[in-house]
Amino acid sequence: MTLSRYAKDKRDLPHPRPVEKIELSGEHTLRRFIAAGLFLLIGGAALAYAFLRMMTPDTGWQAIQASASGGPNCGEEFVFLYELGAGELSVSAENKAVSLIYTEACRKAFQLFHTTEGFEGVVNLYELSRRPNEVLEVDEALYDAFDAVREAGDRTVYLGPVYARYGDVFYCRDDAQLVDFDPRLSEAVAEEYAAVAAYAADPGHIDMELLGENKLRLRVSEEYLAYAGREGIERFLDFGWMKNAFITDYLAKALEEGGFTHGSISSFDGFCRCLDGRPGSYSLNLYGRLRGGAVHAGVMEYQGPMSLVSFRAFPVDVSDGRRFYQLSGGQFRTQYLDPANGLCRNAVDSMVCYASGRGCAQLAMEAGPLFIADGFREDLAGELAERDVQLVWCRDRDIRATDPELSVKDLRQDYTLTKP
């Protein structure tokens, strides 16, 4: 029977039967109370056990999550695997300590490297861009990041205006929308990016002064400020594709200082810090491109501690949607922009660089120019190997490496591995 919520007369509703009085026999009352008590005890014990299981982490390798209870953080862009129970603390205590350190580091990194939003009491990239030519005190992590940039001579961070606009490429729904952001499809956009790139390349127009005691000053020339005013530019700074390299290093440092090194941190866009120096091997998937699609080419094995940076000119899963756009003709647009003109480039299909004793940011700045180029320079790859930075790259059906000791398992049948 279907009941209407809007019956106009109570007679439209079904009537309940009259209540019948039932007399209970007293001889079984005590037995019923005892049975009810036992059921309550059993139910309570089951709930307590379930709660204990829920609150007690398992030993062994676990994915540690950054809690959102303390505010937004960058945890969704990383996978942090940690072996609980291998240290001196109890599993519960270790899980709590590691989670707290990781969560706080993710929250702080999210704020420090943010380019479009400010946070109370934090001087981040957004604040530095909005207050050029002022002396500002920053967190040590941000100061160290700019110190590393200066030492490497890398100018990528000054391409902020280009990244601010080019980033919309990855939100386009069809090729027609690309014309507003893609310098390969629009001469006007290409001219705009080239103009910004010229300013970014010139320390006389923009540069970061490191004044000691964690104090920075973003020097911007009057000419560039006038140009920025005419063009509506507000973001001078952006680490672009290297942002998570600096964040990965920051997260790794926080965990190392806390004494927690039985794990590995990886970002969705290819940066990894293996903190674990114990005997044993880790592995990293190698990908190639065959007949227009991504293929699993093999598995590279390595021992920690190690820093690794993976470059790819094509996506392999849905998480890559935020940094690749495929045109109807099959070409891809990537986040790897040439600092000289803002054009995305890739010398090979994929490349991995790795080293111990270096962070991901340093590796990215050292190896980036090899990948972001029109042709691959094997001589430069050899020079990096002499400085203990090893490379593996895929081109066509060939995997080439600078490390003669490299171990690759599950090599795809139609691929070859070439080592020195």
Side-chain angles (χ1 to χ4, degrees):
M1 178 183 293
T2 302
L3 302 183
S4 170
R5 293 179 55 203
Y6 305 102
K8 295 180 180 179
D9 193 300
K10 289 184 180 181
R11 287 172 296 181
D12 296 331
L13 300 177
H15 295 283
R17 291 183 176 182
V19 176
E20 297 182 17
K21 291 184 179 180
I22 302 174
E23 297 292 336
L24 296 177
S25 171
E27 65 179 284
H28 300 298
T29 302
L30 180 59
R31 196 176 300 171
R32 290 193 183 95
F33 275 123
I34 293 173
L38 286 173
F39 280 122
L40 286 173
L41 285 173
I42 293 170
L47 287 173
Y49 176 75
F51 182 76
L52 185 63
R53 288 287 299 167
M54 181 177 67
M55 298 302 293
T56 303
D58 293 328
T59 59
W61 287 97
Q62 303 293 326
I64 306 296
Q65 305 290 338
S67 171
S69 60
N73 61 66
C74 61
E76 65 176 12
E77 299 187 20
F78 292 84
V79 174
F80 175 31
L81 298 177
Y82 198 82
E83 187 177 14
L84 296 174
E88 296 179 357
L89 296 175
S90 68
V91 173
S92 295
E94 186 176 34
N95 180 64
K96 182 178 181 181
V98 170
S99 298
L100 284 174
I101 291 174
Y102 181 63
T103 295
E104 176 58 19
C106 284
R107 184 191 65 81
K108 194 172 180 181
F110 176 85
Q111 295 180 351
L112 289 176
F113 291 90
H114 213 295
T115 58
T116 61
E117 184 180 352
F119 301 90
E120 186 176 355
V122 177
V123 177
N124 60 4
L125 293 181
Y126 172 79
E127 285 295 327
L128 287 166
S129 287
R130 288 173 60 89
R131 299 166 67 179
N133 300 311
E134 290 186 37
V135 176
L136 299 172
E137 186 172 350
V138 300
D139 187 271
E140 182 181 5
L142 203 53
Y143 189 91
D144 289 346
F146 279 102
D147 190 26
V149 164
R150 180 180 64 175
E151 185 174 344
D154 192 278
R155 305 288 298 175
T156 302
V157 69
Y158 303 115
L159 281 179
V162 174
Y163 279 111
R165 183 166 180 178
Y166 181 80
D168 286 338
V169 162
F170 307 115
Y171 295 95
C172 290
R173 295 183 178 275
D174 56 59
D175 293 0
Q177 296 178 332
L178 287 180
V179 71
D180 291 328
F181 318 108
D182 189 348
R184 295 188 184 277
L185 300 181
S186 167
E187 184 176 342
V189 173
E191 291 176 355
E192 177 186 335
Y193 287 6
V196 170
Y199 281 118
D202 188 348
H205 282 300
I206 183 169
D207 204 29
M208 186 66 76
E209 286 187 274
L210 282 75
L211 306 173
E213 299 179 339
N214 294 333
K215 293 180 180 178
L216 299 175
R217 175 166 50 207
L218 176 63
R219 270 196 307 103
V220 183
S221 69
E222 291 299 323
E223 179 185 326
Y224 191 12
L225 285 174
Y227 174 83
R230 293 193 302 270
E231 299 297 324
I233 291 173
E234 295 181 344
R235 188 194 306 180
F236 289 107
L237 302 172
D238 192 327
F239 281 105
W241 66 270
M242 292 193 297
K243 182 189 78 169
N244 279 340
F246 288 92
I247 292 180
T248 302
D249 290 340
Y250 177 70
L251 300 179
K253 183 179 179 181
L255 290 162
E256 287 174 334
E257 290 179 346
F260 298 106
T261 59
H262 296 162
S264 178
I265 304 169
S266 303
S267 72
F268 79 96
D269 51 354
F271 303 104
C272 177
R273 284 288 300 272
C274 175
L275 310 178
D276 196 353
R278 297 172 299 172
S281 64
Y282 283 78
S283 61
L284 179 73
N285 289 325
L286 300 176
Y287 294 96
R289 197 168 179 220
L290 197 60
R291 293 185 289 276
V295 296
H296 185 258
V299 179
M300 163 187 157
E301 294 186 309
Y302 66 93
Q303 285 188 313
M306 189 72 73
S307 297
L308 304 97
V309 177
S310 299
F311 299 83
R312 275 188 286 107
F314 53 88
V316 296
D317 57 40
V318 292
S319 68
D320 284 331
R322 289 177 284 178
R323 61 192 188 110
F324 292 97
Y325 178 89
Q326 185 172 19
L327 283 79
S328 56
Q331 310 97 323
F332 285 100
R333 296 294 185 259
T334 75
Q335 61 181 345
Y336 302 110
L337 302 186
D338 188 337
N341 49 29
L343 294 173
C344 68
R345 300 187 189 280
N346 59 280
V348 289
D349 293 332
S350 65
M351 183 180 83
V352 175
C353 61
Y354 58 99
S356 57
R358 282 175 167 83
C360 287
Q362 185 179 354
L363 278 179
M365 289 186 285
E366 287 182 300
L370 272 77
F371 185 80
I372 307 172
D374 286 328
F376 192 79
R377 295 277 305 274
E378 292 196 27
D379 57 327
L380 296 182
E383 291 178 12
L384 280 178
E386 291 176 0
R387 302 203 302 267
D388 297 321
V389 176
Q390 304 295 343
L391 289 100
V392 184
W393 63 96
C394 291
R395 184 166 47 194
D396 299 324
R397 289 182 172 88
D398 190 20
I399 299 176
R400 302 183 67 88
T402 58
D403 183 2
E405 304 299 322
L406 176 69
S407 172
V408 175
K409 64 180 182 180
D410 299 331
L411 182 67
R412 186 180 170 92
Q413 188 174 6
D414 50 355
Y415 269 66
T416 60
L417 173 64
T418 304
K419 299 188 291 185

